[in-house]
C-alpha cells in the first residue's frame, strides 16, 4: 500500500479497481472489463468522451528544427513552413459514434454523420452533444441515460474517420467514461493501424441486469457497415453526410 493511502481513509474502499494516483480505471488487454453495477455507477448520466492529439513522433520535425536553430541562430527569422502544420492537424478528424440495441429490439446509430444525434430522455436514451472537427481539448461527447438501463441491451461505441486520410497511426486517441459515481474509465486506442477507417472501442452490455463495460479496440478498414457485420447488428447502410458537407 502506498503511503498516501493512509492519508485519505477508505479512499479505495468502494472503488478498489481505480488508480490511487489518477482515480481512473484503465481497461487493457489484460484487464478488459469492469462492472458499472458493482461499482455503484449504474444510474444517472454516463458521459463518454473522445479526445485525441498528435503522436509525439509527428512533433519530431519541430524538435529537429529547434536543434538547427541552435546551430544556425539566423534561421530563427525564417518562417516555418505552414504546410507541415496543416498536414499534422487539419487532416485529423475523428468522430465518435454509438450503435445501440434496446431491450425491445429497436436498433440504430448515434453519430454526427447523417445528423443522428439521438435523445437522452426518450429512446434510444443516448445523446451526442456535438461534432468537434478540430480535436479541441473538450473533444466529442455522448451521454447515456442509465436510469433507463433496463431498456438498453447493448451499446457499441466506436471511432471513425469521416472523409480525410486515415490517421489512426498519427493520433493518440482516448475514450473516457465518466459515470455519475466513482472513478472514470479510460480506454486508449494504443495500437497502430495506418489504413484503418474505424475502430470499435468498447461495448456496454446489460447482462442479466448488470451493466458491464468491455474493451474492444478492434480496428477495421471499412466504416459502420463493417462494424455492424462484425457485431451482428443487422442494419442496412448507405452513404451519409455531415451537416454542411455533401
Amino acid at each position: 500500500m502506498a503511503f498516501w493511502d493512509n492519508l485519505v481513509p477508505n479512499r479505495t474502499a468502494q472503488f478498489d479497481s481505480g488508480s490511487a494516483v489518477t482515480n481512473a480505471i484503465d481497461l487493457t488487454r489484460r484487464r478488459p472489463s469492469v462492472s458499472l453495477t458493482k461499482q455503484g455507477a449504474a444510474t444517472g448520466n454516463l458521459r463518454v468522451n473522445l479526445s485525441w492529439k498528435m503522436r509525439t513522433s509527428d512533433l519530431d520535425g519541430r524538435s529537429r528544427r529547434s536543434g538547427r536553430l541552435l546551430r544556425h541562430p539566423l534561421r530563427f527569422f525564417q518562417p516555418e513552413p505552414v504546410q507541415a502544420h496543416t498536414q499534422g492537424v487539419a487532416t485529423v478528424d475523428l468522430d465518435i459514434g454509438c450503435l445501440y440495441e434496446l431491450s425491445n429490439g429497436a436498433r440504430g446509430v448515434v453519430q454526427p454523420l447523417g445528423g443522428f444525434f439521438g435523445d437522452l430522455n426518450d429512446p434510444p436514451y443516448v445523446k451526442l452533444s456535438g461534432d468537434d472537427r478540430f480535436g479541441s481539448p473538450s473533444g466529442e461527447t455522448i451521454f447515456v441515460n442509465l436510469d433507463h438501463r433496463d431498456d438498453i441491451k447493448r451499446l457499441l461505441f466506436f471511432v471513425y474517420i469521416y472523409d480525410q486520410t486515415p490517421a489512426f497511426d498519427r493520433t493518440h486517441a482516448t475514450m473516457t467514461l465518466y459515470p455519475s459515481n466513482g472513478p472514470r474509465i479510460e480506454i486508449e486506442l494504443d495500437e497502430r493501424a495506418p489504413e484503418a477507417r474505424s475502430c470499435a472501442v468498447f461495448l456496454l452490455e446489460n447482462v442479466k441486469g448488470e451493466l458491464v463495460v468491455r474493451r474492444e479496440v478492434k480496428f477495421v478498414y471499412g466504416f459502420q457497415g463493417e462494424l455492424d457485420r462484425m457485431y451482428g447488428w443487422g442494419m442496412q447502410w448507405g452513404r451519409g453526410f455531415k451537416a454542411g458537407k455533401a
Side-chain angles (χ1 to χ4, degrees):
M1 177 181 294
F3 76 94
W4 55 74
D5 289 336
N6 296 322
L7 301 179
V8 185
N10 299 323
R11 181 175 185 176
T12 58
Q14 183 177 4
F15 305 104
D16 54 0
S17 56
S19 166
V21 177
T22 65
N23 192 34
I25 299 172
D26 296 319
L27 295 189
T28 63
R29 285 186 174 183
R30 290 189 174 184
R31 187 188 180 183
S33 64
V34 64
S35 170
L36 293 181
T37 302
K38 291 180 180 179
Q39 298 284 8
T43 59
N45 290 335
L46 171 68
R47 179 163 60 98
V48 181
N49 177 261
L50 168 68
S51 61
W52 69 92
K53 60 184 178 180
M54 294 173 58
R55 289 187 182 271
T56 305
S57 59
D58 284 339
L59 302 177
D60 289 344
R62 300 179 189 180
S63 300
R64 287 194 297 268
R65 185 173 186 269
S66 298
R68 290 195 301 268
L69 289 178
L70 294 177
R71 297 190 300 270
H72 307 284
L74 292 179
R75 291 187 179 180
F76 175 81
F77 299 100
Q78 297 178 0
E80 185 174 359
V82 177
Q83 183 179 5
H85 175 78
T86 302
Q87 291 179 344
V89 178
T91 60
V92 180
D93 180 16
L94 304 184
D95 286 318
I96 188 173
C98 175
L99 283 168
Y100 63 82
E101 181 178 4
L102 304 184
S103 57
N104 64 4
R107 300 180 182 184
V109 65
V110 172
Q111 62 180 20
L113 190 61
F116 298 106
F117 291 97
D119 195 292
L120 195 60
N121 298 312
D122 292 304
Y125 311 110
V126 179
K127 175 70 174 178
L128 175 66
S129 65
D131 176 20
D132 170 28
R133 300 182 183 177
F134 303 101
S136 67
S138 60
E140 295 187 357
T141 300
I142 287 180
F143 292 91
V144 181
N145 188 345
L146 295 184
D147 290 336
H148 289 272
R149 58 191 176 278
D150 292 337
D151 298 308
I152 297 172
K153 181 178 181 180
R154 59 173 179 163
L155 304 175
L156 175 65
F157 284 82
F158 60 92
V159 177
Y160 65 98
I161 300 174
Y162 170 57
D163 62 353
Q164 301 289 350
T165 303
F168 279 117
D169 64 325
R170 298 177 54 203
T171 59
H172 184 176
T174 302
M175 197 168 281
T176 306
L177 290 70
Y178 297 91
S180 60
N181 187 33
R184 68 184 184 272
I185 301 168
E186 295 185 347
I187 305 171
E188 293 188 3
L189 279 65
D190 52 3
E191 300 174 16
R192 295 292 182 103
E195 301 301 324
R197 304 307 299 259
S198 307
C199 178
V201 182
F202 75 91
L203 268 171
L204 173 61
E205 293 184 287
N206 191 329
V207 183
K208 297 181 180 180
E210 180 180 359
L211 289 183
V212 178
V213 176
R214 188 177 79 234
R215 177 187 183 273
E216 296 292 319
V217 189
K218 295 180 179 178
F219 289 91
V220 298
Y221 298 97
F223 291 96
Q224 291 85 331
E226 189 167 342
L227 293 173
D228 181 309
R229 289 188 293 273
M230 181 183 297
Y231 289 90
W233 238 264
M235 298 195 301
Q236 297 295 323
W237 296 88
R239 174 73 172 162
F241 303 95
K242 287 187 182 182
K245 288 190 176 184

